[in-house]
Amino acid sequence: MSKSFTPGLKILKKYTILKDRILPLRGKIRTKIDKVVSSDDIVASANIPGNVKMINIANKLNIESNYLNQCMLVKVGDSVSEGQIIAQNKGLFGLFKTEVKSPVVGEITQISEITGQVVISEPPDPIEVDAYIPGKVNKIYSDEGVQIKSSGTYIQGIIGIGGEKKGKLRVLSNPSGSISESDISPDCKDCIIVVGSFLDYSIYQKAKKIGVSGIIAGGFNYNSLSKILGYSLGVAITGTERGITIIVTEGFGNIKMSQKTYDLLLENDKNNISINGSTQIRAGVLRPEVFIHNGNLDELDEYNQADLIIEIGSKVRIIREPYFGEIGEVVDLPHNLQKMESGTLTRVAKILFNDRSSKIIPRTNLEVILSD
């Protein structure tokens, strides 16, 4: 039987996940192997060097560079405050002294009698990486970060925007229902809400006003997404956007959330969850995700990469136009390459849709939907 490997879209009630939590530069590990952590626990931290200010003291004091140290009131390693006098010449007969003040808060890191310059480094910016999900520290990457292992419900969407968010899940509507602005009350603040059907732009605006952290919806309008971003999405690489994180589980348009996805979310209504809207459609496929811890951290299963093989009978979603977001079943995987409208030769699959129509789709345009 013909088979093919394809990106997998996971909708799983019980899934063992490995999540790397890595610093942007080398720093300090704040935990230890096998330690049980909560989603908010800081597991690694580092300091990003502050801005550097260079001051030509020799020019300001009108002295030769080799006399610089004689005029300095501070030395390398000293901390200085903004406006503090750091250098002063002797003046004329002890009068008419010229002073140089520090323009920033920082530390003197260099005094050069060659250039006549003094370098002040502003305080470093601390950066902390949290665990993101409840779990157990499975691996430590020396000075770089850790790997968290956990088990729970794992749902991937088809597209999203915004980064990592954590909060209490609030299910507001089912796939067949509708939602009004009045349904988003002040107690939704800092929560992650579920709109089982279509997410209207006005609902997004109300959620933003209330202070909702995230929204999980079945469908969304592409033009509304462009309005939120301020530009057309184009190539889908997201995750750095500020504001509400949005995860669309089915696709663009007035599309209902799949019943399987909705039921898993409903089971966890009012539980704490973690979400990430980061999406990358092309090379190195990355999907927006929802994770809800509901396992025993003392009895974690061995990590087992879910089967990404597509074969006859596989349930798949199409990830590129003109059938983007549609779901169907693989009924044939022809062995020979087929010529597409663009003129390219590629391996294809025959997909049977819910309305019983069928289409020939390039296998690279498919992702298998994994569910239990």
Side-chain angles (χ1 to χ4, degrees):
M1 181 184 293
S2 181
K3 295 183 179 180
S4 177
F5 287 90
T6 181
L9 188 72
K10 303 178 181 72
I11 306 171
L12 301 165
K13 183 173 183 177
K14 185 171 177 56
Y15 181 69
T16 298
I17 186 173
L18 297 176
K19 187 66 67 172
D20 286 340
R21 308 299 292 159
I22 306 297
L23 290 163
L25 72 168
R26 297 181 77 86
K28 181 179 180 181
I29 304 302
R30 303 277 297 275
T31 187
K32 58 185 179 181
I33 200 77
D34 288 333
K35 183 177 179 181
V36 174
V37 294
S38 70
S39 59
D40 293 322
D41 284 347
I42 303 302
V43 295
S45 63
N47 287 322
I48 298 177
N51 294 327
V52 172
K53 295 289 184 183
M54 301 181 68
I55 310 169
N56 196 315
I57 302 289
N59 283 349
K60 290 182 178 294
L61 297 182
N62 195 25
I63 61 172
E64 295 294 331
S65 296
N66 57 324
Y67 289 109
L68 180 60
N69 274 318
Q70 298 179 31
C71 298
M72 294 300 299
L73 302 179
V74 293
K75 60 183 182 298
V76 172
D78 284 353
S79 296
V80 295
S81 57
E82 184 176 353
Q84 178 181 336
I85 299 172
I86 59 174
Q88 185 182 70
N89 65 12
K90 297 182 179 181
L92 184 64
F93 305 112
L95 302 173
F96 311 110
K97 295 180 179 180
T98 302
E99 301 172 340
V100 178
K101 297 178 180 180
S102 172
V104 295
V105 174
E107 179 183 325
I108 304 295
T109 55
Q110 184 178 339
I111 298 174
S112 174
E113 286 194 326
I114 297 175
T115 64
Q117 290 187 329
V118 170
V119 177
I120 303 176
S121 294
E122 294 186 56
D125 293 321
I127 183 169
E128 297 180 326
V129 174
D130 62 26
Y132 171 57
I133 59 174
K136 184 180 288 188
V137 178
N138 187 62
K139 186 184 296 185
I140 289 180
Y141 306 107
S142 180
D143 301 328
E144 295 181 355
V146 304
Q147 183 185 78
I148 306 297
K149 184 176 183 180
S150 190
S151 178
T153 296
Y154 188 67
I155 299 169
Q156 289 181 310
I158 192 165
I159 196 164
I161 59 171
E164 296 175 355
K165 295 290 176 63
K166 293 164 288 186
K168 183 172 290 187
L169 184 66
R170 293 287 304 276
V171 178
L172 300 186
S173 72
N174 61 45
S176 300
S178 60
I179 183 174
S180 65
E181 293 182 40
S182 61
D183 293 321
I184 306 177
S185 57
D187 59 0
C188 290
K189 178 178 171 60
D190 298 325
C191 291
I192 296 164
I193 64 173
V194 174
V195 179
S197 53
F198 178 74
L199 173 61
D200 186 79
Y201 184 70
S202 63
I203 300 300
Y204 163 80
Q205 289 286 74
K206 177 64 180 295
K208 181 180 179 181
K209 183 178 179 180
I210 289 293
V212 167
S213 290
I215 303 174
I216 307 170
F220 197 38
N221 186 285
Y222 179 82
N223 292 330
S224 296
L225 183 62
S226 300
K227 194 183 298 185
I228 292 170
L229 296 173
Y231 57 87
S232 295
L233 185 58
V235 177
I237 300 177
T238 71
T240 59
E241 301 81 11
R242 296 183 180 274
I244 300 177
T245 292
I246 299 175
I247 295 178
V248 179
T249 63
E250 311 306 318
F252 292 122
N254 195 349
I255 309 174
K256 298 177 181 179
M257 182 179 291
S258 75
Q259 194 63 43
K260 170 70 174 179
T261 301
Y262 174 77
D263 288 343
L264 286 176
L265 293 171
L266 185 61
E267 284 181 23
N268 291 282
D269 190 24
K270 297 184 173 59
N271 288 343
N272 290 319
I273 75 169
S274 302
I275 65 172
N276 188 348
S278 298
T279 305
Q280 184 170 308
I281 297 296
R282 298 201 173 174
V285 173
L286 180 68
R287 287 296 183 197
E289 63 180 13
V290 177
F291 180 77
I292 311 164
H293 169 67
N294 52 27
N296 186 341
L297 292 178
D298 293 325
E299 298 177 0
L300 287 174
D301 296 333
E302 287 299 316
Y303 177 71
N304 182 24
Q305 176 65 45
D307 191 1
L308 301 183
I309 296 175
I310 181 174
E311 55 190 347
I312 293 175
S314 294
K315 188 177 181 181
V316 295
R317 185 195 303 270
I318 301 173
I319 59 174
R320 292 187 178 89
E321 296 293 352
Y323 305 106
F324 178 80
E326 292 197 33
I327 295 174
E329 180 183 330
V330 177
V331 292
D332 191 18
L333 289 169
H335 177 73
N336 295 328
L337 298 176
Q338 292 200 20
K339 190 172 185 179
M340 308 308 294
E341 291 183 7
S342 63
T344 59
L345 291 171
T346 187
R347 296 198 183 280
V348 299
K350 184 177 182 180
I351 308 301
L352 180 66
F353 296 110
N354 292 335
D355 63 2
R356 310 313 296 171
S357 64
S358 62
K359 296 289 182 183
I360 299 297
I361 306 292
R363 296 186 195 180
T364 55
N365 291 2
L366 302 173
E367 62 182 1
V368 63
I369 299 177
L370 304 171
S371 62
D372 51 12

